[in-house]
Amino acid sequence: MTSPTLTRPELTAADRCDRCGAAAQVRAILRNGGELLFCGHHGREYESKLKEMDADIQR
Ligand SMILES: [Zn+2]
């Protein structure tokens, strides 16, 4: 599996959802290079929005 984006380290228990502080399960890489982390709940909640922004969603 190849990806045009830089390889990022795996999510760990230390990574937290940006919205609620729960353990992160989803990472979204934005087109501007920014990075957002979401728990499963917020990952689903924001998924359509992130796709609109053409973000790269990794889980
Ligand atoms: Zn959350």
Side-chain angles (χ1 to χ4, degrees), residues 24-52:
Q25 293 177 16
V26 179
R27 171 190 281 133
I29 311 296
L30 305 180
R31 285 293 142 192
N32 65 9
E35 180 179 303
L36 295 172
L37 298 176
F38 296 108
C39 64
H41 172 82
H42 284 112
R44 277 191 298 279
E45 188 173 322
Y46 285 91
E47 187 170 4
S48 59
K49 189 78 183 165
L50 292 167
K51 282 180 175 168
E52 267 178 38

